[in-house]
């Protein structure tokens, strides 16, 4: 009897996980406050359409499945067996993927200024370690079953962010320490001195890899379970509503928050007020820009960023222009990198196309302002 109940729960949970994976690229993450909510911590909802490669990935899987039926090969019928079968096909695609594509841009579509400030990155050792760890964890069948069952039960009581924090799953990766150093280096000799704050830090895994460059680490986080995790990692937790009044920060991290916030412009102005002279804003934004606010009835932000364009490079250019002309931040350096997340029953890991920037206040960059 217990075996039948377990099988039914796993089947239902695996179907729900698959539906979440097919959902649009909305990543309920965390936030600044009840007014500035920035979903930031459930990449289990990363779409099967997260990027151009992802489209072909899943078309390929469907074609393989159809071909198997047509050619008379065995097709698993149970939910668990199908999940494992499809994961095997998906992971095979990931093994053949050219990871360098994640970091490439079309320079022909960029202005000379943007080309001069571009920092070319590659999948380095730390990035590959994260991917290897994700692949290993996704193969832990019973652990993944436990995640599915726990999530199916707890989602009736907790938010997805709190569930992930409690389970310790869904960690993300944007930059390794070496990649962050390469991106920050053009910012000047003050890099690495003073205090860093990660706004909407989640479990802290994204900034943990380079936060120790700064001697004092702070974070804001709305999820109680995530705050405990952050405290255990050495972050001092600040109030989500008044963090920008606490002190001046030498590095403010806003990683993949703006497209999930109700008031992204307000948040950027808070960052400018809280930035120490000579300090930097390290910002990541998924492109194409598709804002989604978890807590509003229509899931639309009250403040929408004026990002336009049909491709990655076009949208990036309009965002940089907005930051300079409307917020008062001058671009120091930028790159393209994958926003990676640990996988699940469906496949070993997921990704979105991330644009990552280092900005300084225009008051700190008079020479750059004159030539822009």
């Amino acid at each position: 009897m217990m075996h039948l109940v377990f099988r039914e729960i796993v089947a239902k949970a695996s179907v729900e996980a698959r539906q979440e994976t097919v959902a649009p690229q909305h990543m309920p993450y965390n936030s600044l406050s009840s007014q500035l909510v920035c979903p930031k911590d459930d990449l289990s909802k990363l779409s099967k359409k997260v990027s151009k490669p992802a489209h072909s990935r899943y078309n390929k899987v469907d074609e393989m499945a159809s071909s198997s039926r047509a050619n008379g090969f065995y097709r698993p019928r149970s939910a668990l067996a199908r999940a494992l079968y499809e994961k095997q096909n998906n992971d095979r695609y990931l093994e053949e993927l050219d990871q360098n594509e994640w970091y490439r841009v079309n320079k022909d579509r960029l202005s000379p200024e943007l080309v001069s400030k571009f920092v070319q990155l590659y999948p380095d050792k730390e990035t590959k370690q994260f991917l290897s760890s994700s692949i290993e964890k996704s193969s832990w069948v019973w652990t993944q079953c436990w995640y599915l069952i726990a999530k199916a039960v707890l989602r009736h009581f907790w938010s997805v962010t709190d569930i992930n924090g409690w389970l310790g799953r869904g960690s993300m990766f944007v930059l390794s320490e070496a990649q962050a150093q390469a991106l920050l280096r053009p910012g000047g000799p003050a890099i690495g001195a003073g205090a860093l704050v990660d706004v909407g830090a989640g479990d802290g895994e994204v900034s943990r890899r380079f936060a120790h460059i700064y001697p004092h680490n702070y974070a804001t986080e709305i999820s109680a379970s995530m705050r405990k995790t952050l405290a255990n990692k050495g972050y001092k937790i600040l109030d989500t509503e008044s963090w920008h009044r606490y002190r001046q920060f030498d590095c403010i991290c806003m990683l993949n928050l703006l497209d999930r916030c109700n008031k992204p412009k307000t948040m950027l102005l808070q960052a400018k007020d809280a930035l120490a002279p000579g300090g930097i804003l390290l910002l990541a934004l998924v492109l194409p820009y598709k804002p989604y606010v978890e807590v509003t009835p229509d899931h639309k932000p009250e403040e929408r960023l004026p990002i336009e364009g049909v491709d990655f490079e076009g949208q990036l250019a309009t965002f940089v222009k907005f930051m300079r002309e409307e917020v008062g931040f001058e671009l120091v350096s930028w790159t393209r990198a994958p926003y990676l997340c640990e996988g699940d029953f469906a496949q070993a890991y997921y990704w979105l196309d991330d644009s990552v920037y280092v900005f300084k206040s225009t008051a700190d960059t008079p020479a750059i302002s004159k030539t822009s």
Side-chain angles (χ1 to χ4, degrees), residues 18 29 44 65 89-90 107-108 115 130 157 169 189 216 218 229 257 271 282 286 290 298-299 302 312 329 336 357:
R18 181 180 177 88
Y29 227 125
S44 66
N89 288 331
N90 294 343
K107 294 184 179 180
D108 293 337
V115 171
F130 176 84
F157 312 100
R169 67 176 297 274
H216 307 288
Y218 300 83
T229 301
L257 290 174
L282 179 60
V286 170
K290 295 182 179 179
D298 59 0
H299 300 302
E302 185 175 337
F312 183 93
F329 279 109
R336 179 177 182 171
Y357 314 83

Side-chain angles (χ1 to χ4, degrees), residues 156-188:
H156 298 291
F157 312 100
W158 291 355
S159 70
V160 175
T161 299
D162 285 327
I163 294 172
N164 281 341
W166 184 72
L167 293 175
R169 67 176 297 274
S171 290
M172 285 147 288
F173 183 102
V174 176
L175 296 173
S176 68
E177 179 180 352
Q179 290 171 337
Q181 289 273 25
L183 196 62
L184 294 172
R185 196 170 294 120

Side-chain angles (χ1 to χ4, degrees), residues 258 261-269 289 301 303-305:
L258 295 185
C261 291
N262 191 33
K263 295 183 178 180
K265 293 181 182 179
T266 300
M267 187 172 67
L268 287 169
L269 292 174
Y289 175 60
E303 300 173 351
R304 182 183 174 91
L305 300 178

Side-chain angles (χ1 to χ4, degrees), residues 30-38 261-264 266-267 270:
N30 312 298
S31 75
L32 301 174
S33 67
S34 57
Q35 288 76 34
L36 299 176
V37 178
C38 307
C261 291
N262 191 33
K263 295 183 178 180
T266 300
M267 187 172 67
Q270 289 176 343

Side-chain angles (χ1 to χ4, degrees), residues 215-232:
H216 307 288
N217 295 160
Y218 300 83
T220 71
E221 178 50 51
I222 198 169
S223 167
S225 61
M226 293 292 184
R227 287 199 299 270
K228 290 181 181 179
T229 301
L230 286 165
N232 291 335

Side-chain angles (χ1 to χ4, degrees), residues 92-127:
R92 186 180 299 115
Y93 172 84
L94 295 179
E95 290 177 2
E96 300 170 356
L97 181 69
D98 180 7
Q99 297 172 355
N100 290 303
E101 284 290 336
W102 291 334
Y103 302 89
R104 291 176 182 149
V105 297
N106 188 339
K107 294 184 179 180
D108 293 337
R109 297 176 179 172
L110 297 170
S111 68
E113 181 186 6
L114 288 176
V115 171
S116 68
K117 295 179 179 180
F118 176 69
V119 177
Q120 181 65 66
L121 300 180
Y122 302 93
D124 61 6
K125 181 179 179 180
E126 195 172 352
T127 305

